[in-house]
Amino acid sequence: MTTTPRPPASLSPSRASDFMQCPLLYRFRVIDKLPEKPSEAATRGTLVHAVLERLFDDPATERTAPRARAMVPGQWNRLLESRPELAELFEEDSEGERLTRWLGEAERLVERWFTLEDPTRLEPAERELFVETELPSGLRLRGVIDRVDVAPTGEVRIVDYKTGKAPRPEYGEGALFQMKFYALVVWRLKGVVPRRLQLVYLGSGDVLTYDPVEADLLRVERKLHALWEAIEQATATGDWRPRPTKLCGWCDHQAFCPEFGGTPPVYPLTVRPADPGEEAQGRMDMVS
């Protein structure tokens, strides 16, 4: 079943990052909705997130590392039931060796979490929380927060699990963009600036924290408005330019990308000529 292509209507952290990385990638995912093959790394991340979410269904005393590790195979089966296409990841693994190794890696990531946080002392207010708000400008922001902790004093902590390694210090601001995005949404929804943003990197065993203030969130809000203007301009003109980086080697859409000799699908939306000086690529300087 196909859906009628529509202009973008909201912005999430992942789609905002897509556009900043490569406007054409954003188009392929949001407007053309080109299919992408599941990856072992991304699927492992989904699996680990599911285990850490479900673990809090148990009483505090039962939230142990062995218990969490034992949950991995069952959560993998649940994931397969909801997304049968994931089975293709291990289609050629007739002996099951790759799957066993892959599940073992997920188990080790789950176990490492217990060296970074103590779930017996946590009672999250929310898990996998969908948040959405509309700014006064009309820009709609949305996303899913891994975990929200609320202290007895009312202070809010936003927590996100990452199954990769912590970035080098020079890339730390990029890693915090997603968290500041969530903090902005919570602030606009609840009128409360989160006390702490916490990134838990299970791949390297690091925990990065940041305590935002209103000025931080106002800067993020301005950046998102500039980003949305660039997206609207590209949507109206059909001018989605590729931005080659080292990440291109991981892209599923090379066959459609001019940088690799491909041709994008016919643009499915109505376009108008770009106004002089207002091309989307020029606006990208505002949000890079």
Side-chain angles (χ1 to χ4, degrees):
M1 180 177 179
T2 59
T3 57
T4 302
R6 297 180 179 177
S10 63
L11 199 56
S12 68
S14 55
R15 297 294 78 84
S17 296
D18 284 346
F19 190 85
M20 289 187 288
Q21 176 187 324
C22 174
L24 187 58
L25 173 64
Y26 177 96
R27 179 202 146 169
F28 287 158
R29 285 178 167 168
V30 176
I31 296 178
D32 298 299
K33 297 187 181 339
L34 297 182
E36 297 183 352
K37 296 179 180 178
S39 73
E40 290 189 18
T43 305
R44 182 169 53 241
T46 301
L47 174 58
V48 170
H49 276 73
V51 171
L52 298 186
E53 178 192 4
R54 296 271 180 173
L55 185 68
F56 285 103
D57 290 340
D58 296 333
T61 55
E62 297 179 18
R63 299 172 197 160
T64 65
R67 164 67 176 155
R69 182 184 181 108
M71 292 172 64
V72 170
Q75 289 302 312
W76 168 235
N77 290 332
R78 289 174 64 99
L79 194 56
L80 277 177
E81 289 176 7
S82 62
R83 298 177 57 190
E85 71 276 9
L86 295 178
E88 68 183 68
L89 285 169
F90 304 102
E91 279 182 338
E92 300 178 4
D93 183 31
S94 58
E95 301 298 322
E97 295 179 358
R98 277 182 46 228
L99 176 59
T100 299
R101 184 167 59 250
W102 182 82
L103 288 172
E105 291 167 352
E107 291 170 355
R108 285 189 289 275
L109 290 172
V110 167
E111 284 185 314
R112 182 170 289 155
W113 178 59
F114 286 82
T115 69
L116 306 175
E117 295 190 288
D118 182 358
T120 66
R121 302 179 64 182
L122 295 171
E123 291 297 339
E126 301 286 353
R127 291 170 277 154
E128 294 296 313
L129 174 66
F130 174 78
V131 290
E132 183 176 41
T133 191
E134 185 173 304
L135 301 180
S137 65
L139 173 57
R140 183 166 292 277
L141 305 178
R142 64 198 310 175
V144 178
I145 301 174
D146 288 346
R147 198 179 86 218
V148 178
D149 300 332
V150 179
T153 55
E155 295 178 319
V156 174
R157 176 173 63 183
I158 296 176
V159 181
D160 194 72
Y161 308 121
K162 300 294 185 185
T163 48
K165 297 180 179 180
R168 295 198 298 269
E170 59 266 33
Y171 298 111
E173 185 61 30
L176 277 173
F177 170 75
Q178 174 188 12
M179 303 301 285
K180 290 181 179 180
F181 184 110
Y182 291 145
L184 171 62
V185 174
V186 170
W187 179 38
R188 290 306 190 195
L189 276 175
K190 306 292 186 181
V192 176
V193 174
R195 175 67 179 83
R196 173 153 294 179
L197 310 179
Q198 182 165 301
L199 284 159
V200 181
Y201 285 93
L202 303 176
S204 57
D206 295 297
V207 176
L208 303 185
T209 61
Y210 183 81
D211 297 340
V213 296
E214 283 191 14
D216 290 324
L217 306 187
L218 288 172
R219 281 192 292 270
V220 172
E221 191 171 66
R222 289 194 295 270
K223 180 172 184 173
L224 292 174
H225 277 128
L227 179 63
W228 190 245
E229 287 181 18
I231 291 172
E232 288 185 317
Q233 183 70 17
T235 302
T237 62
D239 184 11
W240 302 91
R241 303 184 188 180
R243 174 179 283 187
T245 68
K246 292 184 292 185
L247 297 175
C248 289
W250 299 90
C251 184
D252 279 342
H253 309 305
Q254 293 179 9
F256 298 102
C257 180
E259 293 294 321
F260 292 86
T263 302
V266 175
Y267 191 55
L269 303 177
T270 302
V271 301
R272 62 169 174 78
D275 295 329
E278 290 191 358
E279 294 183 351
Q281 191 67 20
R283 290 183 181 271
M284 283 303 295
D285 294 336
M286 301 171 63
V287 296
S288 298

Short mmCIF file of all heavy atoms in Angstrom, two decimals, residues 60-111:
data_model
loop_
_atom_site.label_atom_id
_atom_site.label_comp_id
_atom_site.label_asym_id
_atom_site.label_seq_id
_atom_site.Cartn_x
_atom_site.Cartn_y
_atom_site.Cartn_z
N ALA A 60 11.84 -3.68 42.13
CA ALA A 60 13.22 -3.19 42.19
C ALA A 60 14.22 -4.29 42.55
O ALA A 60 15.31 -4.36 41.98
CB ALA A 60 13.31 -2.04 43.19
N THR A 61 13.85 -5.16 43.46
CA THR A 61 14.79 -6.19 43.92
C THR A 61 15.10 -7.21 42.84
O THR A 61 16.10 -7.94 42.94
CB THR A 61 14.22 -6.91 45.15
OG1 THR A 61 12.92 -7.44 44.83
CG2 THR A 61 14.12 -5.96 46.34
N GLU A 62 14.26 -7.30 41.81
CA GLU A 62 14.49 -8.27 40.75
C GLU A 62 15.19 -7.68 39.53
O GLU A 62 15.44 -8.39 38.55
CB GLU A 62 13.14 -8.88 40.31
CG GLU A 62 12.45 -9.65 41.41
CD GLU A 62 11.12 -10.22 40.97
OE1 GLU A 62 10.89 -10.32 39.75
OE2 GLU A 62 10.29 -10.55 41.86
N ARG A 63 15.55 -6.43 39.60
CA ARG A 63 16.24 -5.78 38.48
C ARG A 63 17.73 -6.04 38.58
O ARG A 63 18.52 -5.18 39.00
CB ARG A 63 15.95 -4.28 38.47
CG ARG A 63 14.47 -3.94 38.31
CD ARG A 63 14.23 -2.46 38.51
NE ARG A 63 12.82 -2.19 38.75
CZ ARG A 63 12.35 -1.08 39.32
NH1 ARG A 63 13.21 -0.14 39.72
NH2 ARG A 63 11.06 -0.91 39.49
N THR A 64 18.13 -7.23 38.19
CA THR A 64 19.53 -7.64 38.28
C THR A 64 20.11 -7.86 36.90
O THR A 64 19.38 -8.04 35.91
CB THR A 64 19.63 -8.94 39.09
OG1 THR A 64 18.97 -10.00 38.35
CG2 THR A 64 18.98 -8.80 40.46
N ALA A 65 21.43 -7.89 36.84
CA ALA A 65 22.10 -8.11 35.56
C ALA A 65 21.76 -9.47 34.97
O ALA A 65 21.47 -9.57 33.77
CB ALA A 65 23.61 -7.94 35.73
N PRO A 66 21.80 -10.56 35.75
CA PRO A 66 21.41 -11.87 35.17
C PRO A 66 19.98 -11.87 34.64
O PRO A 66 19.69 -12.47 33.60
CB PRO A 66 21.58 -12.84 36.35
CG PRO A 66 22.60 -12.19 37.23
CD PRO A 66 22.31 -10.72 37.13
N ARG A 67 19.08 -11.22 35.37
CA ARG A 67 17.69 -11.14 34.92
C ARG A 67 17.59 -10.39 33.59
O ARG A 67 16.91 -10.83 32.66
CB ARG A 67 16.86 -10.44 36.00
CG ARG A 67 15.49 -9.94 35.55
CD ARG A 67 14.54 -11.05 35.23
NE ARG A 67 13.23 -10.53 34.89
CZ ARG A 67 12.35 -11.16 34.13
NH1 ARG A 67 12.63 -12.35 33.63
NH2 ARG A 67 11.16 -10.63 33.89
N ALA A 68 18.28 -9.27 33.50
CA ALA A 68 18.24 -8.48 32.27
C ALA A 68 18.87 -9.24 31.10
O ALA A 68 18.34 -9.24 29.98
CB ALA A 68 18.97 -7.16 32.48
N ARG A 69 19.97 -9.91 31.36
CA ARG A 69 20.63 -10.69 30.30
C ARG A 69 19.69 -11.80 29.79
O ARG A 69 19.60 -12.03 28.58
CB ARG A 69 21.91 -11.31 30.84
CG ARG A 69 22.71 -12.10 29.81
CD ARG A 69 23.92 -12.77 30.44
NE ARG A 69 24.67 -13.50 29.42
CZ ARG A 69 25.85 -13.13 28.94
NH1 ARG A 69 26.42 -12.01 29.37
NH2 ARG A 69 26.46 -13.85 28.02
N ALA A 70 18.97 -12.43 30.71
CA ALA A 70 18.07 -13.52 30.32
C ALA A 70 16.89 -13.01 29.50
O ALA A 70 16.24 -13.80 28.79
CB ALA A 70 17.57 -14.24 31.57
N MET A 71 16.60 -11.72 29.58
CA MET A 71 15.48 -11.15 28.83
C MET A 71 15.80 -10.95 27.35
O MET A 71 14.88 -10.79 26.54
CB MET A 71 15.07 -9.80 29.44
CG MET A 71 14.45 -9.90 30.82
SD MET A 71 14.21 -8.26 31.58
CE MET A 71 13.03 -7.53 30.44
N VAL A 72 17.08 -10.95 26.99
CA VAL A 72 17.47 -10.60 25.62
C VAL A 72 16.84 -11.53 24.57
O VAL A 72 16.23 -11.05 23.61
CB VAL A 72 19.00 -10.55 25.49
CG1 VAL A 72 19.42 -10.43 24.03
CG2 VAL A 72 19.56 -9.38 26.29
N PRO A 73 16.96 -12.86 24.68
CA PRO A 73 16.37 -13.71 23.63
C PRO A 73 14.86 -13.51 23.49
O PRO A 73 14.34 -13.48 22.37
CB PRO A 73 16.71 -15.13 24.11
CG PRO A 73 17.91 -14.96 24.98
CD PRO A 73 17.70 -13.66 25.67
N GLY A 74 14.16 -13.39 24.61
CA GLY A 74 12.71 -13.21 24.54
C GLY A 74 12.33 -11.90 23.88
O GLY A 74 11.38 -11.84 23.08
N GLN A 75 13.06 -10.84 24.20
CA GLN A 75 12.78 -9.55 23.57
C GLN A 75 13.12 -9.57 22.09
O GLN A 75 12.46 -8.90 21.27
CB GLN A 75 13.54 -8.44 24.28
CG GLN A 75 13.02 -8.11 25.66
CD GLN A 75 11.56 -7.70 25.62
OE1 GLN A 75 11.14 -6.87 24.82
NE2 GLN A 75 10.75 -8.28 26.51
N TRP A 76 14.11 -10.34 21.70
CA TRP A 76 14.43 -10.49 20.28
C TRP A 76 13.27 -11.17 19.55
O TRP A 76 12.88 -10.77 18.46
CB TRP A 76 15.73 -11.28 20.11
CG TRP A 76 16.03 -11.74 18.71
CD1 TRP A 76 16.27 -13.02 18.31
CD2 TRP A 76 16.13 -10.93 17.53
NE1 TRP A 76 16.52 -13.07 16.96
CE2 TRP A 76 16.44 -11.80 16.44
CE3 TRP A 76 15.98 -9.58 17.26
CZ2 TRP A 76 16.59 -11.35 15.14
CZ3 TRP A 76 16.15 -9.12 15.96
CH2 TRP A 76 16.45 -10.01 14.92
N ASN A 77 12.69 -12.18 20.17
CA ASN A 77 11.54 -12.86 19.55
C ASN A 77 10.36 -11.92 19.42
O ASN A 77 9.63 -11.94 18.41
CB ASN A 77 11.17 -14.10 20.37
CG ASN A 77 12.20 -15.21 20.25
OD1 ASN A 77 12.90 -15.32 19.25
ND2 ASN A 77 12.32 -16.04 21.28
N ARG A 78 10.13 -11.09 20.44
CA ARG A 78 9.04 -10.12 20.38
C ARG A 78 9.28 -9.11 19.25
O ARG A 78 8.34 -8.73 18.54
CB ARG A 78 8.93 -9.37 21.71
CG ARG A 78 8.38 -10.19 22.86
CD ARG A 78 8.45 -9.40 24.15
NE ARG A 78 7.59 -8.21 24.09
CZ ARG A 78 6.39 -8.13 24.62
NH1 ARG A 78 5.88 -9.19 25.27
NH2 ARG A 78 5.68 -7.04 24.52
N LEU A 79 10.53 -8.72 19.10
CA LEU A 79 10.87 -7.77 18.05
C LEU A 79 10.64 -8.38 16.67
O LEU A 79 10.13 -7.72 15.75
CB LEU A 79 12.34 -7.35 18.22
CG LEU A 79 12.83 -6.12 17.43
CD1 LEU A 79 11.99 -4.89 17.74
CD2 LEU A 79 14.30 -5.85 17.77
N LEU A 80 10.99 -9.66 16.52
CA LEU A 80 10.76 -10.36 15.25
C LEU A 80 9.27 -10.46 14.93
O LEU A 80 8.87 -10.37 13.77
CB LEU A 80 11.39 -11.75 15.29
CG LEU A 80 12.88 -11.87 14.99
CD1 LEU A 80 13.32 -13.32 15.15
CD2 LEU A 80 13.19 -11.38 13.58
N GLU A 81 8.47 -10.67 15.95
CA GLU A 81 7.02 -10.77 15.73
C GLU A 81 6.44 -9.45 15.20
O GLU A 81 5.57 -9.46 14.34
CB GLU A 81 6.32 -11.16 17.03
CG GLU A 81 6.58 -12.60 17.46
CD GLU A 81 5.95 -12.91 18.80
OE1 GLU A 81 5.20 -12.04 19.32
OE2 GLU A 81 6.19 -14.01 19.33
N SER A 82 6.94 -8.36 15.74
CA SER A 82 6.42 -7.06 15.32
C SER A 82 7.05 -6.56 14.03
O SER A 82 6.44 -5.79 13.28
CB SER A 82 6.63 -6.02 16.43
OG SER A 82 8.02 -5.84 16.69
N ARG A 83 8.27 -7.04 13.74
CA ARG A 83 8.98 -6.60 12.53
C ARG A 83 9.62 -7.82 11.86
O ARG A 83 10.82 -8.04 11.96
CB ARG A 83 10.03 -5.54 12.87
CG ARG A 83 9.47 -4.26 13.46
CD ARG A 83 10.58 -3.30 13.84
NE ARG A 83 11.45 -2.99 12.70
CZ ARG A 83 12.60 -2.32 12.80
NH1 ARG A 83 13.04 -1.93 13.99
NH2 ARG A 83 13.32 -2.08 11.73
N PRO A 84 8.84 -8.63 11.17
CA PRO A 84 9.35 -9.86 10.56
C PRO A 84 10.50 -9.64 9.59
O PRO A 84 11.31 -10.54 9.37
CB PRO A 84 8.12 -10.43 9.84
CG PRO A 84 6.94 -9.82 10.51
CD PRO A 84 7.38 -8.46 10.94
N GLU A 85 10.57 -8.43 9.01
CA GLU A 85 11.63 -8.16 8.03
C GLU A 85 13.02 -8.23 8.65
O GLU A 85 14.03 -8.39 7.94
CB GLU A 85 11.42 -6.79 7.38
CG GLU A 85 11.70 -5.58 8.26
CD GLU A 85 10.51 -5.18 9.14
OE1 GLU A 85 9.53 -5.96 9.18
OE2 GLU A 85 10.58 -4.11 9.78
N LEU A 86 13.11 -8.15 9.97
CA LEU A 86 14.42 -8.21 10.63
C LEU A 86 15.06 -9.59 10.49
O LEU A 86 16.27 -9.73 10.66
CB LEU A 86 14.29 -7.84 12.11
CG LEU A 86 13.86 -6.40 12.41
CD1 LEU A 86 13.73 -6.20 13.92
CD2 LEU A 86 14.86 -5.42 11.83
N ALA A 87 14.27 -10.59 10.17
CA ALA A 87 14.81 -11.94 10.01
C ALA A 87 15.84 -12.00 8.89
O ALA A 87 16.73 -12.86 8.90
CB ALA A 87 13.68 -12.94 9.76
N GLU A 88 15.74 -11.07 7.93
CA GLU A 88 16.67 -11.09 6.80
C GLU A 88 18.10 -10.77 7.24
O GLU A 88 19.05 -11.04 6.50
CB GLU A 88 16.25 -10.11 5.72
CG GLU A 88 16.34 -8.64 6.09
CD GLU A 88 15.82 -7.72 5.00
OE1 GLU A 88 14.60 -7.72 4.74
OE2 GLU A 88 16.65 -7.00 4.41
N LEU A 89 18.26 -10.20 8.42
CA LEU A 89 19.61 -9.92 8.91
C LEU A 89 20.45 -11.19 9.01
O LEU A 89 21.67 -11.16 8.85
CB LEU A 89 19.54 -9.25 10.29
CG LEU A 89 19.12 -7.79 10.34
CD1 LEU A 89 18.85 -7.37 11.79
CD2 LEU A 89 20.20 -6.91 9.72
N PHE A 90 19.79 -12.31 9.30
CA PHE A 90 20.52 -13.56 9.54
C PHE A 90 20.05 -14.67 8.61
O PHE A 90 20.14 -15.85 8.94
CB PHE A 90 20.35 -13.97 11.01
CG PHE A 90 20.79 -12.91 11.99
CD1 PHE A 90 19.85 -12.12 12.64
CD2 PHE A 90 22.13 -12.68 12.21
CE1 PHE A 90 20.24 -11.13 13.52
CE2 PHE A 90 22.54 -11.69 13.10
CZ PHE A 90 21.60 -10.92 13.76
N GLU A 91 19.59 -14.29 7.42
CA GLU A 91 19.09 -15.28 6.45
C GLU A 91 20.17 -16.27 6.05
O GLU A 91 19.90 -17.46 5.84
CB GLU A 91 18.56 -14.55 5.21
CG GLU A 91 17.16 -14.00 5.36
CD GLU A 91 16.66 -13.33 4.10
OE1 GLU A 91 17.49 -12.91 3.27
OE2 GLU A 91 15.43 -13.23 3.94
N GLU A 92 21.39 -15.80 5.90
CA GLU A 92 22.48 -16.66 5.44
C GLU A 92 23.26 -17.28 6.59
O GLU A 92 24.33 -17.86 6.39
CB GLU A 92 23.41 -15.86 4.53
CG GLU A 92 22.71 -15.30 3.29
CD GLU A 92 23.63 -14.47 2.42
OE1 GLU A 92 24.84 -14.41 2.74
OE2 GLU A 92 23.16 -13.89 1.43
N ASP A 93 22.73 -17.16 7.78
CA ASP A 93 23.39 -17.69 8.97
C ASP A 93 22.79 -19.05 9.32
O ASP A 93 22.11 -19.21 10.34
CB ASP A 93 23.21 -16.68 10.12
CG ASP A 93 23.92 -17.09 11.39
OD1 ASP A 93 24.96 -17.76 11.30
OD2 ASP A 93 23.42 -16.75 12.47
N SER A 94 23.02 -20.02 8.46
CA SER A 94 22.36 -21.32 8.60
C SER A 94 22.71 -22.03 9.91
O SER A 94 21.89 -22.76 10.47
CB SER A 94 22.72 -22.23 7.42
OG SER A 94 24.11 -22.41 7.33
N GLU A 95 23.91 -21.83 10.41
CA GLU A 95 24.33 -22.49 11.65
C GLU A 95 23.96 -21.69 12.89
O GLU A 95 24.13 -22.16 14.01
CB GLU A 95 25.85 -22.72 11.62
CG GLU A 95 26.35 -23.56 10.46
CD GLU A 95 25.77 -24.97 10.51
OE1 GLU A 95 25.64 -25.51 11.63
OE2 GLU A 95 25.44 -25.51 9.44
N GLY A 96 23.50 -20.47 12.69
CA GLY A 96 23.11 -19.64 13.82
C GLY A 96 24.26 -19.01 14.57
O GLY A 96 24.07 -18.44 15.65
N GLU A 97 25.48 -19.10 14.00
CA GLU A 97 26.64 -18.57 14.71
C GLU A 97 26.61 -17.05 14.82
O GLU A 97 26.90 -16.47 15.88
CB GLU A 97 27.93 -19.02 14.02
CG GLU A 97 28.15 -20.53 14.08
CD GLU A 97 29.41 -20.96 13.37
OE1 GLU A 97 30.10 -20.07 12.81
OE2 GLU A 97 29.72 -22.15 13.39
N ARG A 98 26.26 -16.37 13.72
CA ARG A 98 26.23 -14.91 13.74
C ARG A 98 25.15 -14.41 14.69
O ARG A 98 25.35 -13.44 15.42
CB ARG A 98 25.99 -14.35 12.33
CG ARG A 98 27.23 -14.25 11.48
CD ARG A 98 26.96 -13.64 10.13
NE ARG A 98 26.13 -12.45 10.19
CZ ARG A 98 25.07 -12.22 9.42
NH1 ARG A 98 24.68 -13.13 8.54
NH2 ARG A 98 24.40 -11.10 9.52
N LEU A 99 23.99 -15.05 14.67
CA LEU A 99 22.91 -14.65 15.56
C LEU A 99 23.33 -14.82 17.02
O LEU A 99 23.09 -13.94 17.85
CB LEU A 99 21.65 -15.45 15.27
CG LEU A 99 20.47 -15.20 16.21
CD1 LEU A 99 20.05 -13.73 16.19
CD2 LEU A 99 19.29 -16.10 15.84
N THR A 100 23.96 -15.94 17.33
CA THR A 100 24.42 -16.18 18.70
C THR A 100 25.41 -15.13 19.14
O THR A 100 25.35 -14.60 20.26
CB THR A 100 25.05 -17.58 18.82
OG1 THR A 100 24.07 -18.58 18.48
CG2 THR A 100 25.57 -17.83 20.23
N ARG A 101 26.35 -14.81 18.25
CA ARG A 101 27.35 -13.78 18.57
C ARG A 101 26.69 -12.41 18.75
O ARG A 101 27.01 -11.67 19.68
CB ARG A 101 28.40 -13.73 17.47
CG ARG A 101 29.55 -12.76 17.73
CD ARG A 101 30.70 -12.99 16.77
NE ARG A 101 30.30 -12.84 15.38
CZ ARG A 101 30.20 -13.85 14.51
NH1 ARG A 101 30.48 -15.09 14.91
NH2 ARG A 101 29.84 -13.65 13.26
N TRP A 102 25.73 -12.12 17.88
CA TRP A 102 25.03 -10.83 17.91
C TRP A 102 24.22 -10.69 19.21
O TRP A 102 24.24 -9.65 19.86
CB TRP A 102 24.13 -10.73 16.69
CG TRP A 102 23.36 -9.47 16.53
CD1 TRP A 102 23.81 -8.28 16.02
CD2 TRP A 102 21.98 -9.26 16.88
NE1 TRP A 102 22.79 -7.35 16.02
CE2 TRP A 102 21.66 -7.93 16.54
CE3 TRP A 102 20.99 -10.07 17.42
CZ2 TRP A 102 20.39 -7.38 16.74
CZ3 TRP A 102 19.72 -9.54 17.62
CH2 TRP A 102 19.43 -8.21 17.28
N LEU A 103 23.52 -11.75 19.59
CA LEU A 103 22.76 -11.72 20.84
C LEU A 103 23.70 -11.58 22.04
O LEU A 103 23.38 -10.89 23.01
CB LEU A 103 21.92 -12.99 20.98
CG LEU A 103 20.71 -13.10 20.05
CD1 LEU A 103 20.07 -14.48 20.16
CD2 LEU A 103 19.67 -12.01 20.35
N GLY A 104 24.86 -12.22 21.94
CA GLY A 104 25.84 -12.10 23.02
C GLY A 104 26.33 -10.66 23.18
O GLY A 104 26.53 -10.18 24.30
N GLU A 105 26.50 -9.98 22.06
CA GLU A 105 26.91 -8.57 22.13
C GLU A 105 25.83 -7.73 22.80
O GLU A 105 26.12 -6.83 23.60
CB GLU A 105 27.20 -8.05 20.72
CG GLU A 105 28.44 -8.67 20.09
CD GLU A 105 28.54 -8.39 18.59
OE1 GLU A 105 27.56 -7.83 18.03
OE2 GLU A 105 29.57 -8.71 18.00
N ALA A 106 24.58 -8.01 22.48
CA ALA A 106 23.47 -7.29 23.12
C ALA A 106 23.45 -7.56 24.62
O ALA A 106 23.23 -6.65 25.43
CB ALA A 106 22.15 -7.69 22.48
N GLU A 107 23.69 -8.80 25.00
CA GLU A 107 23.70 -9.15 26.42
C GLU A 107 24.81 -8.41 27.16
O GLU A 107 24.61 -7.94 28.29
CB GLU A 107 23.87 -10.66 26.58
CG GLU A 107 22.65 -11.46 26.11
CD GLU A 107 22.92 -12.95 26.04
OE1 GLU A 107 24.09 -13.36 26.25
OE2 GLU A 107 21.97 -13.70 25.76
N ARG A 108 25.98 -8.29 26.54
CA ARG A 108 27.09 -7.58 27.19
C ARG A 108 26.78 -6.09 27.36
O ARG A 108 27.15 -5.48 28.36
CB ARG A 108 28.37 -7.79 26.39
CG ARG A 108 28.97 -9.19 26.59
CD ARG A 108 30.34 -9.32 25.97
NE ARG A 108 30.28 -9.32 24.51
CZ ARG A 108 30.05 -10.41 23.77
NH1 ARG A 108 29.82 -11.56 24.36
NH2 ARG A 108 30.05 -10.34 22.46
N LEU A 109 26.11 -5.52 26.38
CA LEU A 109 25.73 -4.11 26.50
C LEU A 109 24.75 -3.92 27.65
O LEU A 109 24.85 -2.94 28.41
CB LEU A 109 25.12 -3.61 25.19
CG LEU A 109 26.07 -3.48 24.01
CD1 LEU A 109 25.29 -3.19 22.72
CD2 LEU A 109 27.10 -2.37 24.25
N VAL A 110 23.79 -4.83 27.76
CA VAL A 110 22.82 -4.75 28.85
C VAL A 110 23.52 -4.88 30.19
O VAL A 110 23.26 -4.13 31.14
CB VAL A 110 21.74 -5.84 28.68
CG1 VAL A 110 20.91 -5.98 29.95
CG2 VAL A 110 20.83 -5.53 27.49
N GLU A 111 24.45 -5.83 30.30
CA GLU A 111 25.17 -6.03 31.56
C GLU A 111 26.00 -4.80 31.93
O GLU A 111 26.11 -4.44 33.11
CB GLU A 111 26.07 -7.26 31.45
CG GLU A 111 25.33 -8.58 31.53
CD GLU A 111 26.28 -9.75 31.54
OE1 GLU A 111 27.23 -9.78 30.73
OE2 GLU A 111 26.07 -10.66 32.38
#
